[in-house]
Amino acid sequence: MGKVVLVTGVARQLGGRFVRRIQRDPDVDRVIGVDAVAPEHHLGGAEFLKADIRHPAIARVLAETGVDTVIHMDINGTPLGKRGGRASVKETNVIGTMQLLGACQKAPKVQRLVIKSSTSVYGSAPRDPAVFTETTTPKSLPSGGFAKDVVEVEGYVRGFARRRPDVAVCVLRFANILGPCADSPLAEYFSLPVWPTVLGYDPRLQFVHEDDAIEVLRIAAAEPRRGTLNSGTFNIAGDGVLLLSQTSRRLGRPTVPLLLPTVTWAGTALRSIGITDFSPEQIRLLTHGRVVETTQMRETLGFHPKYTTAETFAEFARSRGPGLLPPESLARTVDRLAGVLPARSGPTQ
């Protein structure tokens, strides 16, 4: 008998893609997809069970199916489609994770647990270090939103690891995942025809391609290869960084620099009319940026992303089509302005 793998959050595109991919692994015998709603995409030969991980019934699912590997992907920053709101997302992220961990604790056959986390756990603050490692303590813990959810989720995961030391636990802290199917708040922001930005700031950003996200999840779910260890916490990001100004040029999206209070007001307005989830934590990211060290990802986990940050963004840009301005023309115009205008000092990241 091969492994029996349970994957949460399969109604989302990324979860569905992972389910279809892991079925091809020769040591996997059975794959069970779980979500509160039925997916609109196919799951290949995987079984789908409609179950809400916020409810204790998830323990029965693990007990009846004999699951030995759990891939928890139902940790997200936005609701699926138009279903629910921020409160529902938080309940799924936090309460759902608590119920799932409780079910895993009672299931003696569970041997491996993989958590899809986020580099949002580090927050974004003006006094942050230039680069975060897995052991870096944030200067200020996130006060709300998805970032706070991730902090709470990882706290519960550490508690579970202490109670079940026999279970191999792998926490993957993903930078912003982008690609043709990306449905994150940042992807929504990048899709706006004009971007509100914070005057005087040009944050550094990192991205992970969807294909790389699928592959590293597969590596984390399998037995470790010789010379590697896939238990622990790992930052996952493509090589290099991009400035926000570079992303706007490459997409052909003009920016409107605003004072921070005005950007905050604009974010509230965009959220209220349902255009994008321009949350306070996203505004902090687009002000101060965030860059993480990925040495452990390469040397310990043994994962080498296929796409760099720049290549990931290029793939995303091709999927979104041209912006209001041709990227080449926008880049030339910005460069000319930079050459004739006096340099203005200001905080940059």
Side-chain angles (χ1 to χ4, degrees):
M1 288 292 291
K3 293 197 302 183
V4 180
V5 181
L6 181 138
V7 184
T8 67
V10 298
R12 293 180 183 265
Q13 289 291 336
L14 192 68
R17 285 193 58 190
F18 176 72
V19 164
R20 293 191 294 272
R21 171 62 185 87
I22 200 171
Q23 291 174 66
R24 303 203 301 268
D25 281 12
D27 63 337
V28 173
D29 183 66
R30 184 183 180 191
V31 179
I32 302 159
V34 171
D35 211 310
V37 295
E40 297 180 356
H41 43 262
H42 71 91
L43 298 179
E47 306 169 43
F48 173 72
L49 294 179
K50 187 175 181 180
D52 193 331
I53 62 172
R54 294 174 294 180
H55 300 152
I58 190 63
R60 187 171 66 250
V61 172
L62 266 67
E64 293 176 353
T65 55
V67 168
D68 54 61
T69 303
V70 176
I71 317 298
H72 184 28
M73 298 183 64
D74 206 358
I75 303 173
N76 302 282
T78 55
L80 179 62
K82 302 298 182 182
R83 179 171 63 92
R86 169 60 199 155
S88 175
V89 170
K90 181 176 179 62
E91 286 181 5
T92 301
N93 290 342
V94 180
I95 304 301
T97 298
M98 290 176 60
Q99 291 286 3
L100 181 65
L101 294 177
C104 289
Q105 185 174 338
K106 298 174 184 176
K109 291 187 177 181
V110 172
Q111 301 172 4
R112 179 167 293 277
L113 171 67
V114 180
I115 304 293
K116 171 184 161 287
S117 188
S118 168
T119 57
S120 296
V121 71
Y122 300 115
S124 294
R127 294 186 178 182
D128 280 345
V131 180
F132 285 100
T133 69
E134 287 85 351
T135 58
T136 303
T137 303
K139 295 294 183 182
S140 58
L141 288 173
S143 58
F146 175 63
K148 187 178 180 182
D149 292 355
V150 175
V151 170
E152 294 184 32
V153 163
E154 289 201 9
Y156 293 130
V157 172
R158 287 191 294 272
F160 169 81
R162 289 191 296 269
R163 293 188 297 272
R164 284 289 305 270
D166 58 308
V167 176
V169 178
C170 184
V171 177
L172 302 176
R173 290 176 175 168
F174 287 96
N176 297 283
I177 299 175
L178 285 184
C181 300
D183 61 355
S184 65
L186 193 61
E188 293 178 356
Y189 171 81
F190 285 150
S191 300
L192 294 173
V194 178
W195 299 353
T197 60
V198 182
L199 181 66
Y201 291 84
D202 197 10
R204 298 174 301 152
L205 303 172
Q206 285 176 309
F207 306 119
V208 182
H209 195 281
E210 291 172 343
D211 293 352
D212 285 328
I214 298 297
E215 181 61 16
V216 73
L217 282 163
R218 188 193 66 80
I219 290 174
E223 292 299 315
R225 295 169 294 181
R226 172 177 283 187
T228 68
L229 178 67
N230 59 358
S231 299
T233 300
F234 302 95
N235 293 330
I236 308 297
D239 286 348
V241 300
L242 282 178
L243 297 175
L244 183 61
S245 59
Q246 292 175 310
T247 62
S248 72
R249 297 183 196 186
R250 297 179 188 199
L251 263 178
R253 258 65 168 189
T255 60
V256 180
L258 304 169
L259 294 173
L260 182 56
T262 307
V263 175
T264 302
W265 175 86
T268 302
L270 289 172
R271 284 201 313 277
S272 65
I273 59 179
I275 293 180
T276 182
D277 185 19
F278 204 42
S279 63
E281 67 181 292
Q282 183 166 315
I283 293 174
R284 286 191 290 272
L285 175 65
L286 297 176
T287 303
H288 307 294
R290 186 189 307 119
V291 177
V292 297
E293 172 65 60
T294 57
T295 300
Q296 294 301 314
M297 174 190 77
R298 298 173 180 282
E299 297 183 357
T300 304
L301 185 60
F303 175 65
H304 300 267
K306 179 181 176 182
Y307 295 87
T308 66
T309 284
E311 290 167 345
T312 298
F313 191 80
E315 285 278 305
F316 171 78
R318 281 192 286 272
S319 72
R320 288 303 189 267
L324 293 176
L325 301 175
E328 298 82 4
S329 300
L330 180 60
R332 286 196 298 270
T333 301
V334 172
D335 289 340
R336 286 175 187 153
L337 287 173
V340 299
L341 293 176
R344 177 175 54 80
S345 61
T348 58
Q349 291 288 328

